[in-house]
Each structure stands twice: as structure tokens, then as C-alpha cells.
Amino acid sequence: MSNNKPLQIEESIVKALRTVYDPEIPVNIYDLGLVYDIDLNDETGAVTITMTLTSPNCPVADFIVEDAKMKVEAIKGVESVSVELTFDPPWGRDMMSEEAMLELGLL
């Protein structure tokens, strides 16, 4: 029987990231396509989130990163969280989920 714990933790991470919002956009960072990668080390419980922002000059960047970090750190089985910002590739509307596009009236 396989251990589903890492999968459950990853699902919890996505669920937590779906509660993080850019205050200027009524869609969460996950559905906006701002989260590029979630890396969970099953042995240490360390999580590295690679994400971007809608703009390199985002005035609430610190708030968004700290909110994401705090919410993921609260998950049982997560021991540490590192959030890495990247602007390569640059974010674009095509990275949004269908739900996000509907929410913003783009579909």
C-alpha cells in the first residue's frame, strides 16, 4: 500500500494557495497562474514555492509572498516554506485558469 501523505500535503498546499489574493484582483494567486512550481521534500517537510507576480513592480508583493508562506506553513506535515519569486517566464493572461478568466470577465 502506497503512502498518500505527500499527495494530501500537496493538495492542502494548493488549497491554501487558493486563499491568497492580490488585494487588487478578485482571483487567488493559484488560479491566476502565478504559482509556477510547488516542490515538497517528503523527508524533511520543506516546501519551495516558485511563483511570479502580475507585474515586477507589484506594490503588494511582500504581502502576497508573506501571506502564501504563512498559510502553507500552517499545514500539518509542512516544516518550512521558501517562496522564490521569478519573472521568467513573465506572467501573462494565458496562464490563468478558466475559472479566473470567467471571474475577471475575460471569457
Side-chain angles (χ1 to χ4, degrees):
M1 178 152 70
S2 68
N3 183 354
N4 288 333
K5 191 173 181 181
L7 182 60
Q8 291 171 339
I9 293 172
E10 286 181 27
E11 288 172 358
S12 295
I13 292 169
V14 169
K15 194 174 184 180
L17 291 173
R18 282 196 160 119
T19 68
V20 178
Y21 288 80
D22 179 326
E24 299 175 349
I25 305 172
V27 177
N28 68 74
I29 63 170
Y30 191 84
D31 286 330
L32 272 175
L34 299 179
V35 177
Y36 288 172
D37 188 47
I38 300 167
D39 183 42
L40 168 64
N41 183 316
D42 300 342
E43 294 174 16
T44 66
V47 175
T48 302
I49 299 167
T50 304
M51 63 175 287
T52 193
L53 301 167
T54 55
S55 160
N57 302 325
C58 180
V60 290
D62 292 343
F63 169 79
I64 294 170
V65 168
E66 195 55 37
D67 195 27
K69 188 174 185 211
M70 284 183 358
K71 288 179 175 175
V72 174
E73 281 176 340
I75 296 169
K76 186 176 182 191
V78 172
E79 297 301 320
S80 66
V81 178
S82 165
V83 178
E84 297 177 2
L85 281 180
T86 184
F87 293 98
D88 185 29
W91 178 83
R93 285 183 175 185
D94 58 323
M95 297 174 167
M96 289 192 281
S97 71
E98 200 169 291
E99 292 87 0
M101 293 177 104
L102 280 171
E103 183 76 30
L104 295 173
L106 301 173
L107 278 182

